[in-house]
Amino acid sequence: QSVLTQPPSVSGAPGQRVTISCTGSTSNIGADYDVHWYQQLPGTAPKLLIYGNNNRPSGVPDRFSGSKSATSASLAISGLQAEDEADYYCQSYDSSLSASGVFGGGTKLTVL
Amino acid sequence: QVQLQESGPGLVKSSETLSLTCTVSGGSISSYYWNWIRQPPGKGLEWIGYIYYSGSTNYNPSLKSRVTISGDTSKNQLSLKVRSVTAADTAVYYCARWGRTVTTDWYFDLWGRGTLVTVSS
């Protein structure tokens, strides 16, 4: 069981908008710790996609956006493209576990 | 640009010690936190622990009793040891750098390509 909860899978057609949720608790997201998102294309290492809840590293398209509220966060992908098909992970810090890196279980995005 | 490369045996026998090295090129390991993260086949990511260049460490409580992370600034390398391994330790092991800005918490901004370690009986 992951500390952060994500849906196992989401899907959408090209051009559509999808969101991926990340639900935590009062010891992580709800304690005002930042949420970060990573994209893992098949057979590759994860790549930073969103940091500090809603910031995009250089080179990440503005189709990707993040938000955070209370004990949860969301990743939105608009204008879905075939190349977006990947696994997505949220990550934060948890004070009760003294764990510097807690991850969600990951969400598989399928582009129909 | 800074690159990370994991290396080590791809096969380890059950009950023995898993040992991996991460070599950092294109930059110094000084002034950064460096992490190990693993991913069992077909499963999600698990943070193992970090080391700061000064030598301070922090580990995932679930692995703390079996894990040691160390660093060698002269070689620009960090290493991971996991003792008494079982099949549950079979995974792709990644090293990753922690980055942050003045307004954010720490995040993993740079990753190695990972190396698969299989524990055999």
Side-chain angles (χ1 to χ4, degrees):
Chain A
Q1 287 286 46
S2 301
V3 174
L4 305 178
T5 301
Q6 297 179 234
S9 63
V10 298
S11 63
Q16 286 189 332
R17 180 180 187 270
V18 298
T19 61
I20 298 173
S21 61
C22 175
T23 303
S25 66
T26 54
S27 64
N28 42 67
I29 299 175
D32 205 28
Y33 292 111
D34 287 339
V35 177
H36 319 292
W37 292 89
Y38 304 86
Q39 178 192 57
Q40 186 174 34
L41 297 170
T44 70
K47 178 189 108 173
L48 180 66
L49 192 66
I50 296 286
Y51 66 95
N53 306 315
N54 55 15
N55 301 285
R56 283 175 287 105
S58 174
V60 173
D62 59 5
R63 302 185 296 104
F64 295 90
S65 63
S67 63
K68 190 186 93 166
S69 178
T71 58
S72 66
S74 290
L75 171 70
I77 309 171
S78 59
L80 207 55
Q81 299 181 4
E83 66 205 50
D84 299 332
E85 187 160 292
D87 294 323
Y88 293 85
Y89 294 89
C90 61
Q91 178 252 316
S92 187
Y93 173 86
D94 192 288
S95 58
S96 69
L97 301 173
S98 296
S100 302
V102 291
F103 289 95
T107 298
K108 170 68 176 178
L109 168 63
T110 299
V111 181
L112 302 172
Chain B
Q1 71 279 22
V2 180
Q3 293 185 319
L4 285 62
Q5 178 67 59
E6 303 88 349
S7 60
L11 191 63
V12 180
K13 291 184 178 179
S14 183
S15 80
E16 296 189 344
T17 297
L18 178 162
S19 297
L20 295 176
T21 298
C22 175
T23 300
V24 179
S25 59
S28 171
I29 66 171
S30 298
S31 302
Y32 282 101
Y33 289 85
W34 301 91
N35 296 260
W36 285 97
I37 296 163
R38 70 181 184 179
Q39 183 173 34
K43 296 187 178 181
L45 301 167
E46 180 181 36
W47 174 73
I48 299 171
Y50 73 63
I51 184 167
Y52 189 44
Y53 80 102
S54 64
S56 65
T57 55
N58 187 31
Y59 301 117
N60 187 322
S62 68
L63 297 168
K64 188 173 184 177
S65 64
R66 298 192 296 126
V67 169
T68 301
I69 297 175
S70 58
D72 187 333
T73 54
S74 67
K75 295 182 179 179
N76 236 26
Q77 292 178 333
L78 50 151
S79 65
L80 169 70
K81 292 187 186 300
V82 182
R83 296 174 290 278
S84 304
V85 296
T86 69
D89 295 306
T90 293
V92 175
Y93 285 76
Y94 297 100
C95 57
R97 189 181 71 178
W98 251 1
R100 69 174 299 179
T101 70
V102 294
T103 58
T104 71
D105 296 335
W106 297 94
Y107 49 85
F108 304 108
D109 66 343
L110 193 62
W111 295 66
R113 297 177 67 176
T115 187
L116 174 63
V117 179
T118 301
V119 177
S120 68
S121 55

